[in-house]
Amino acid sequence: MLDEECVRQAAAMILESTQVVALTGAGISVESGIPDFRSPGGLWTKYDPLLYGTYESFINHPERFYEMAKELNPTLERAEPNPAHYALADLEKLGKCRAVITQNIDNLHQRAGSTDVLELHGTHRTGHCMRCRRIFDLEVIKELSKGGECVACCPEDGTAIKPDVVFFGEPLDSRVLARAAELASTSDLMLVIGCSLEVYPAAALPEYTKRRRGRLIFFNTVTTHHDRMADLICLGKAGENLPAVVEAYKELAGVK
Ligand code: APR
């Protein structure tokens, strides 16, 4: 159920802001059919992240990741951008979203038309050999892993191919992180969408915006223990709230 007052306030905050940035998490892709991590039924409620999601677990037991990927890949392949992804691409076209900083690896922002997407936690679209660093596309990785039945290994040297997603305990791409911090520190409004803000350094980015006296709007289906930071909380599905906020903004701004 849309909270009309919240939608109106969010639209007004976007109108008043000149440097808007979005930070998205798994919650924005839930309506595309991709489970998030920490909600009931989320990925980490089925797979222990200490056994399946750390860099060390991949180095010692790559077969665990490929077992999890075998279940997840069809969901990622079937997923389509949802109205929340399109709403952010719309805001970019309206000059009201400088960039999307995402923790997601699903490429849905790009497919929805967002052109400046910072993938903090990498991408599922490629992987590389852990020895010779040769890069492989997802399709080739799927063939080499016989559809997820085994660990994909480099045809040159037989070493495991690591997907280009960031595991726990693995450093983020420093250039991407530096640019994300720069964007957060120079924005006067951050739209925080579908994020539990449990994982750093991504979870620190809203603080960067606050520190320069920027404002935060949280879009989530539940309250989080970070809510005290938010200037406005739009409770509900991102796929419903965000499009409504963009339409309300267009009306306020008198644009189509
Ligand atoms: N609309 C808006 N928010 C939603 C929706 C929805 N339809 N569905 C779920 N959410 C919210 C949940 O309430 C939760 O607060 O999205 C958030 C998702 O939180 P997580 O599952 O923790 O995902 P995320 O915040 O992206 O996790 C960060 O942790 O495991 C690592 O690398 C992984 O990038 C991930 C990081």
Side-chain angles (χ1 to χ4, degrees):
M1 184 59 195
L2 276 182
D3 174 341
E4 298 296 338
E5 177 51 23
C6 192
V7 166
R8 197 196 56 70
Q9 280 182 42
M13 288 168 73
I14 291 172
L15 185 72
E16 292 152 9
S17 304
T18 57
Q19 302 291 331
V20 184
V21 72
L23 172 67
T24 68
I28 200 172
S29 296
V30 164
E31 290 159 84
S32 297
I34 303 174
D36 66 12
F37 294 93
R38 295 174 181 82
S39 295
L43 200 65
W44 295 148
T45 65
K46 291 184 199 164
Y47 294 94
D48 179 345
L50 291 178
L51 297 177
Y52 287 86
T54 67
Y55 186 69
E56 192 185 355
S57 66
F58 184 83
I59 297 298
N60 297 316
H61 298 284
E63 71 283 359
R64 288 179 187 159
F65 173 83
Y66 278 91
E67 175 202 335
M68 184 173 70
K70 184 171 173 240
E71 183 200 325
L72 250 192
N73 273 342
T75 306
L76 285 168
E77 279 161 22
R78 274 195 306 269
E80 293 293 332
N82 69 57
H85 296 103
Y86 288 112
L88 284 184
D90 231 358
L91 275 184
E92 177 189 312
K93 291 184 190 79
L94 292 162
K96 285 290 182 174
C97 185
R98 304 163 76 186
V100 176
I101 303 166
T102 188
Q103 301 173 82
N104 301 338
I105 54 134
D106 55 32
N107 196 42
L108 293 180
H109 286 299
Q110 295 92 325
R111 288 176 56 197
S114 290
T115 62
D116 193 349
V117 180
L118 289 81
E119 293 177 310
L120 283 181
H121 294 165
T123 176
H124 83 296
R125 297 191 307 281
T126 55
H128 63 273
C129 169
M130 300 284 286
R131 182 190 299 266
C132 69
R133 315 297 296 172
R134 182 176 152 190
I135 293 178
F136 297 88
D137 281 340
L138 179 62
E139 288 316 308
V140 175
I141 295 171
K142 277 183 359 193
E143 276 166 36
L144 292 170
S145 72
K146 299 183 178 55
E149 290 305 324
C150 64
V151 174
C153 291
C154 176
E156 299 300 317
D157 54 37
T159 307
I161 295 171
K162 181 188 169 298
D164 288 335
V165 297
V166 177
F167 285 73
F168 289 114
E170 188 180 4
L172 279 65
D173 181 321
S174 54
R175 293 155 303 177
V176 175
L177 184 56
R179 182 154 182 263
E182 169 66 16
L183 282 162
S185 315
T186 56
S187 292
D188 54 359
L189 179 64
M190 179 181 278
L191 310 178
V192 182
I193 307 157
C195 302
S196 62
L197 296 179
E198 292 292 315
V199 174
Y200 287 79
L205 293 171
E207 294 278 358
Y208 282 49
T209 301
K210 282 302 268 189
R211 220 175 285 161
R212 55 90 71 210
R213 285 187 303 287
R215 294 189 290 180
L216 305 176
I217 305 179
F218 284 11
F219 291 85
N220 204 314
T221 44
V222 297
T223 55
T224 74
H225 55 271
H226 298 278
D227 286 0
R228 60 174 166 49
M229 272 203 287
D231 296 279
L232 180 66
I233 298 169
C234 284
L235 277 181
K237 293 183 175 179
E240 293 167 9
N241 274 342
L242 266 177
V245 167
V246 174
E247 286 316 305
Y249 164 73
K250 287 178 182 174
E251 210 169 302
L252 278 181
V255 295
K256 279 282 158 249

